[in-house]
Amino acid sequence: MEEDNFKKIPFGQLGIIVHESCKELGKKIDKYLVQKRKDMLAECSEEYQVEKLQESYIIESEIIRFSNGEGKGHLKETIRGKDIFVIADVGNYSVTYNMFGQENRMSPDDHFQDIKRLISAIAGKARRIHVIMPLLYESRQDKRNSRESLDCAMALQELENLGVENIFTFDAHEPRVQNAIPQTGFESLHSTYQIIKALKRVEEDLNLDLDKDKLMVISPDTGAMNRAIYYAGVLGSDVGLFYKRRDYKKIVNGQNPIVQHEYMGAEVAGKDVLIVDDMIASGGSVFDISKELKKKNARNIFVAVSFTFFTNGIEKMDEYYKKGYIQKLFSTNLTYIPQKFKDSDWFEEVDMSKLIAHLIDTVNYDESVSPLLDATDKIKGIL
């Protein structure tokens, strides 16, 4: 039986440090947290209340930049004895800073350096430090092939050495990278429930709870197969796979170019198709796959991802939407989304701020996050 609210005692006074890259998401998270604590305190009598309601849990902070590009982290209020959560979006390329009179866009490296600056400014005064990095830094460089760096593992070890107790991310490209920090908490959460909820709300023609035989879940490559199997399992649908045939004699933009996508799976003719993956970078794979599926007479094609970049622009996505290749793209707000994406008819934003607020509240009260890692029952509930 769940503990009564008056028995719940936070590990430490809650404090959130929101990096400039994550301001919009941070405000939403803070709003949910304030309301959640307000509701909780209203349920228990004043004599049992162990904390006071705050108007905001965000700790004022800033990154001060020098004219040559160097910087330092600055906290504007005390954090002594607090349970601190540092939130940053390393994929936000809209943040800029001035260097030698020129405006520079911040790269993932710059954002990660700022995370370390903010942790350094805490100077061991906090009771605990947690880092919430929705897009895991260097997650695409998580394993070594030949003479290569292991950037993701090295970054996690740096955070561990700075005294970070827990690291939370979403849909890590390779969750086994946590083996680099066996003594530090590492959790990779998923956006499956929120995406399926958005699918059900937006697409009335897509009867997820009735027409299971008319829906197929497709994995764009072997790496995303486990994700596709999970979606197919909770939706009660068939699953298919596209295998990427690559030219290993060439390297283009840091990777071996794809020669062709080979499909393996059941017949897709006349069925709605849901392509699921962790991210869209340039979008090339999704475009090729959607074209192939249309050749096989698939009905409507939907794409669901946690992170959307479109590094080469959205012109081709606009084209494929107009041609009817792709019906809708569902993507979370876990990383920066330009306004032109949000304004597009083919884009549907999936808000994840409530889940992150629930995560912070759970960890602050030192409770298990296991219920947040598996949303199977909640998905079955909405279906």
Side-chain angles (χ1 to χ4, degrees):
M1 184 177 179
E2 190 176 350
E3 284 185 309
D4 295 328
N5 283 324
F6 67 81
K7 293 180 181 178
K8 291 175 67 173
I9 301 175
F11 187 86
Q13 187 181 351
L14 178 60
I16 306 171
I17 298 176
V18 180
H19 185 252
E20 188 180 358
S21 61
C22 220
K23 277 187 175 179
E24 186 178 340
L25 181 62
K27 287 178 181 177
K28 289 182 179 180
I29 293 169
D30 185 51
K31 184 179 178 182
Y32 277 118
L33 277 169
V34 171
Q35 187 59 50
K36 191 175 179 68
R37 295 287 167 102
K38 183 179 180 181
D39 294 341
M40 186 200 71
L41 291 174
E43 291 178 7
C44 60
S45 57
E46 191 172 336
E47 61 183 302
Y48 289 116
Q49 292 180 8
V50 294
E51 60 176 323
K52 292 182 179 179
L53 179 66
Q54 295 179 225
E55 293 183 3
S56 174
Y57 292 97
I58 295 178
I59 293 171
E60 283 195 63
S61 62
E62 64 177 337
I63 299 294
I64 300 170
R65 290 281 173 185
F66 301 105
S67 56
N68 67 340
E70 293 179 351
K72 63 179 178 180
H74 176 220
L75 302 179
K76 299 182 179 180
E77 56 185 278
T78 180
I79 43 77
R80 186 177 295 276
K82 291 186 177 181
D83 200 15
I84 298 294
F85 292 79
V86 181
I87 308 174
D89 173 19
V90 299
N92 190 338
Y93 54 91
S94 71
V95 183
T96 60
Y97 65 94
N98 192 278
M99 179 176 174
F100 290 98
Q102 297 183 5
E103 190 176 59
N104 286 354
R105 286 182 182 270
M106 289 188 69
S107 69
D109 292 341
D110 293 321
H111 288 306
F112 186 70
Q113 192 67 28
D114 279 356
I115 292 173
K116 293 190 290 182
R117 288 185 174 111
L118 291 169
I119 295 172
S120 178
I122 294 172
K125 302 299 189 297
R127 195 167 185 187
R128 276 193 315 192
I129 303 173
H130 318 268
V131 170
I132 298 179
M133 216 183 323
L135 176 63
L136 185 61
Y137 174 68
E138 288 291 351
S139 59
R140 301 178 76 182
Q141 185 50 36
D142 50 34
K143 56 184 179 292
R144 172 176 284 160
N145 293 313
S146 186
R147 298 179 183 91
E148 294 180 344
S149 57
L150 273 170
D151 298 62
C152 190
M154 290 171 62
L156 294 178
Q157 289 177 351
E158 282 187 82
L159 293 178
E160 182 182 52
N161 293 334
L162 285 169
V164 174
E165 191 156 325
N166 290 295
I167 300 168
F168 299 100
T169 188
F170 282 80
D171 285 313
H173 202 63
E174 175 50 82
R176 285 178 293 184
V177 74
Q178 65 184 290
N179 293 338
I181 48 169
Q183 299 301 313
T184 300
F186 180 96
E187 297 293 351
S188 176
L189 289 86
H190 304 285
S191 54
T192 315
Y193 169 70
Q194 286 76 13
I195 288 175
I196 291 178
K197 192 176 179 180
L199 264 167
K200 187 173 174 62
R201 183 186 72 249
V202 175
E203 293 301 324
E204 295 179 0
D205 294 336
L206 191 63
N207 294 320
L208 297 175
D209 49 350
L210 298 175
D211 298 337
K212 299 182 187 299
D213 294 335
K214 295 182 181 178
L215 176 69
M216 273 201 70
V217 178
I218 298 292
S219 172
D221 53 40
T222 54
M225 196 59 190
N226 286 339
R227 183 179 294 102
I229 290 172
Y230 179 77
Y231 269 90
V234 294
L235 294 172
S237 306
D238 284 336
V239 64
L241 164 70
F242 272 90
Y243 168 69
K244 293 178 181 177
R245 239 177 354 105
R246 295 182 179 272
D247 184 355
Y248 289 98
K249 297 177 183 177
K250 300 178 183 177
I251 296 179
V252 179
N253 294 328
Q255 60 183 359
N256 304 107
I258 299 168
V259 178
Q260 189 176 350
H261 286 91
E262 302 281 358
Y263 175 69
M264 293 182 286
E267 184 67 43
V268 299
K271 294 182 179 180
D272 290 325
V273 174
L274 177 62
I275 302 172
V276 297
D277 206 353
D278 59 339
M279 68 174 66
I280 288 180
S282 64
S285 293
V286 169
F287 296 141
D288 292 343
I289 289 169
S290 62
K291 202 169 184 178
E292 287 294 321
L293 289 169
K294 276 296 180 182
K295 286 180 183 178
K296 298 178 183 295
N297 298 316
R299 197 164 73 101
N300 296 315
I301 297 174
F302 304 92
V303 182
V305 295
S306 295
F307 309 102
T308 299
F309 304 129
F310 284 120
T311 53
N312 296 332
I314 61 171
E315 291 75 15
K316 197 166 183 178
M317 183 65 196
D318 288 332
E319 176 192 340
Y320 271 54
Y321 172 72
K322 289 174 183 176
K323 288 182 177 179
Y325 290 146
I326 298 175
Q327 190 83 4
K328 188 80 76 174
L329 167 64
F330 293 83
S331 182
T332 71
N333 60 344
L334 292 170
T335 191
Y336 169 67
I337 303 173
Q339 191 59 44
K340 62 180 179 180
F341 287 21
K342 298 179 182 181
D343 295 338
S344 300
D345 293 334
W346 45 262
F347 188 83
E348 186 65 33
E349 182 179 343
V350 180
D351 184 25
M352 300 296 294
S353 56
K354 190 173 183 179
L355 175 60
I356 297 177
H358 192 26
L359 170 69
I360 292 173
D361 186 68
T362 302
V363 175
N364 181 230
Y365 279 113
D366 235 9
E367 296 178 337
S368 173
V369 298
S370 295
L372 302 179
L373 301 177
D374 186 2
T376 304
D377 291 336
K378 291 177 71 177
I379 294 172
K380 287 179 180 178
I382 63 171
L383 293 177

